[in-house]
Amino acid sequence: MSSIEKTFASGEVIIKEGDSGNTFFQLLEGKLGVYKNYGEADEVQVAILEAGQYFGEMAVIENYPRSSTVVAEEDSKVVEIAAEELNEYFTQNPDKILSIMEVFGQRIKRMTEDANEAKKALDDARRSNSKDKYLGFFAQMAQQSIYLTSKNFRLERPSAEALREASMAVSGTSEGETYSFGTIIFKEGDAGKCLYILKNGKVGIYSKYGAVDELKLQEIEAIACFGEMEMLTGEVRDTTAVAEVGDTKVEIIRAEDLPGLFQTAPAKIDMILKSLSYRLRSITYDYFKACQEIYESTNE
């Protein structure tokens, strides 16, 4: 079997912050709480999980320690999937590939919004040379700020090594489309119905491309994914992607392609999942770094 159903009584710990993780879970019934510093004086609940939601997947995908503790808030039932059985799980449940990717997409979206809010508060305070600008931020982010102290704050930038190795596994695979220098691959405002794997060349990601206040946000090099967020969240493109060199080659993947892609090239699914996990850890790092600076500034 590729998965095992387990039941937990109210108050039982399912996974613990700091532990190594070789399984992930989907909540079938009940309600779970996600905590930082569980059982300590500065414990804080950071999320509530409802039936259908996944948790613990980042530790499996990136081989990281558990980042939080998950506790049953009421009698609950979960399905537990071992890392070594992930391929079998996807084979038996191909629809779950997109579901897990959508989980990452929603988390990245929320964390990006939080990070932008933190950075805005930090920039406003620096420009005005006043700590009063931090107050609105802390009012909105009080839950997270509870545990952002020098004693328990752990700042860790994720490594790109696992993502790079996963990318190498797909570098010589199937054909794609080739674009000349300057080609607009997708445009701000377009419907985002697919993601791209950059096989060769470079792609620039721009805000307000072609306008006087155009801003280059990122330069992507092979092998990497881009454009996946809008496919996963169902929103329109908020950036423009442009081929920065000639012979820029991409592979186009739509949501409906994912189950079949797993059957023919599982390494690509692994690479996309690692890319999403890496992005989430990176934006989380940026958010907590800004929060730490705010916290330290208000306690000088």
Side-chain angles (χ1 to χ4, degrees):
M1 293 291 292
S2 62
S3 59
I4 301 173
E5 289 190 5
K6 293 185 175 182
T7 57
F8 293 89
S10 178
E12 279 195 85
V13 173
I14 302 173
I15 60 176
K16 187 177 180 180
E17 182 177 358
D19 285 353
S20 59
N22 59 2
T23 62
F24 72 102
F25 306 80
Q26 183 182 24
L27 177 59
L28 300 179
E29 299 174 10
K31 184 169 64 175
L32 308 178
V34 182
Y35 294 86
K36 298 291 290 186
N37 306 325
Y38 184 71
E40 301 177 19
D42 51 357
E43 169 191 307
V44 59
Q45 185 182 86
V46 296
I48 286 288
L49 302 179
E50 306 286 352
Q53 292 183 277
Y54 289 91
F55 61 99
E57 70 284 348
M58 289 179 69
V60 170
I61 291 169
E62 285 197 90
N63 194 30
Y64 266 70
R66 303 290 191 189
S67 60
S68 56
T69 297
V70 177
V71 181
E73 298 292 308
E74 59 188 39
D75 292 350
S76 301
K77 181 187 292 186
V78 304
V79 58
E80 182 178 22
I81 303 100
E84 64 269 18
E85 296 176 338
L86 184 59
N87 283 357
E88 183 183 350
Y89 179 73
F90 282 157
T91 298
Q92 295 180 2
N93 306 276
D95 58 307
K96 302 300 185 183
I97 298 171
L98 180 59
S99 296
I100 292 174
M101 289 184 182
E102 287 173 341
V103 168
F104 276 114
Q106 292 299 328
R107 290 179 184 171
I108 291 169
K109 178 184 176 183
R110 290 194 298 269
M111 185 52 66
T112 299
E113 291 170 352
D114 288 349
N116 289 341
E117 187 70 24
K119 290 175 182 177
K120 181 178 183 298
L122 194 57
D123 289 344
D124 286 349
R126 284 170 174 167
R127 282 196 295 269
S128 64
N129 197 29
S130 170
K131 294 180 181 179
D132 293 341
K133 293 290 185 178
Y134 295 138
L135 298 180
F137 169 78
F138 275 130
Q140 295 181 47
M141 303 296 177
Q143 191 177 51
Q144 288 89 337
S145 69
I146 291 171
Y147 59 89
L148 294 178
T149 67
S150 57
K151 173 180 176 292
N152 61 26
F153 186 83
R154 293 182 293 276
L155 196 63
E156 181 181 1
R157 184 180 293 278
S159 167
E161 183 177 35
L163 178 61
R164 183 174 63 251
E165 290 183 356
S167 300
M168 290 172 63
V170 302
S171 61
T173 55
S174 66
E175 296 298 318
E177 292 191 1
T178 301
Y179 300 119
S180 59
F181 168 74
T183 299
I184 295 176
I185 300 171
F186 60 73
K187 190 175 182 180
E188 193 169 343
D190 287 350
K193 297 182 178 180
C194 64
L195 65 85
Y196 299 82
I197 296 178
L198 178 61
K199 311 295 282 299
N200 185 65
K202 292 183 180 180
V203 172
I205 305 296
Y206 292 85
S207 173
K208 300 180 181 179
Y209 183 71
V212 292
D213 53 349
E214 169 189 306
L215 178 63
K216 186 174 182 178
L217 303 174
Q218 185 181 8
E219 185 172 274
I220 298 170
E221 298 185 356
I223 303 293
C225 298
F226 66 100
E228 68 271 24
M229 282 298 298
E230 292 81 12
M231 185 190 82
L232 297 175
T233 61
E235 299 180 348
V236 298
R237 305 287 190 192
D238 61 359
T239 56
T240 297
V242 182
E244 300 280 76
V245 297
D247 295 326
T248 292
K249 186 175 182 179
V250 303
E251 181 176 357
I252 300 170
I253 299 173
R254 295 171 177 81
E256 59 268 26
D257 300 332
L258 293 172
L261 183 65
F262 175 74
Q263 298 297 327
T264 58
K268 290 182 183 178
I269 298 297
D270 184 53
M271 194 266 279
I272 295 168
L273 287 170
K274 280 186 167 64
S275 177
L276 290 168
S277 184
Y278 178 81
R279 181 178 297 189
L280 179 56
R281 287 193 185 277
S282 294
I283 194 66
T284 302
Y285 173 89
D286 291 341
Y287 169 62
F288 283 148
K289 185 177 181 181
C291 286
Q292 185 183 46
E293 187 167 345
I294 290 173
Y295 181 87
E296 291 173 349
S297 296
T298 57
N299 286 274
E300 290 177 349

